Amino acid sequence: MERNAMLEFDPFLTELAEKLHVHGYYAFYGEHYNEADMEQYRRHLFNSFRNIVWVELDARKKYMIVDHRGRNTVMKLIDGMLNTRRTLRANQAMAGTDTSNVQKEITHLTQLVHMLRFTTFRT
């Protein structure tokens, strides 16, 4: 479902703002969300939120974060993904298969956690 419609009347913006206020982050799943869409959302939401961080884990998982609560939750979600990837890497190593792709994913996720750890949100 594309969100490239006129954003002024898009009910998704209201839902997005509510979720961001309650949880501090919003998860976007699917390859159809791109950076241009996020920039439009950011422009419309900037009146409500002073800090908006866009994190793209891969082509299918993206997060919009607006405060420390959201940042901490997303970091925990990434940690869970890291644990899964580390287990996969160990299983592949024991099976004698190539682990380079999984290692690249682990490196990418570790860098995102590091970046998020040092991201501050002004209130």
Side-chain angles (χ1 to χ4, degrees), residues 73-115:
T73 302
V74 170
M75 286 173 54
K76 287 179 184 177
L77 291 170
I78 294 173
D79 281 340
M81 293 171 64
L82 275 167
N83 289 337
T84 303
R85 298 301 190 285
R86 288 179 182 128
T87 302
L88 177 61
R89 181 184 60 192
N91 289 341
Q92 287 180 342
M94 286 177 17
T97 59
D98 184 33
T99 61
S100 60
N101 288 337
V102 176
Q103 184 57 45
K104 286 179 188 176
E105 289 180 36
I106 291 171
T107 302
H108 173 69
L109 293 174
T110 304
Q111 289 171 345
L112 287 175
V113 168
H114 181 76
M115 183 224 29

Side-chain angles (χ1 to χ4, degrees), residues 17 21 42-52 66:
H21 275 293
R42 196 178 345 222
R43 260 188 273 126
H44 286 280
L45 293 170
F46 211 66
N47 294 333
S48 303
F49 303 101
R50 298 179 80 192
N51 304 288
I52 300 174
V66 296

Side-chain angles (χ1 to χ4, degrees), residues 56 84 120:
E56 188 168 328
T84 303
T120 57

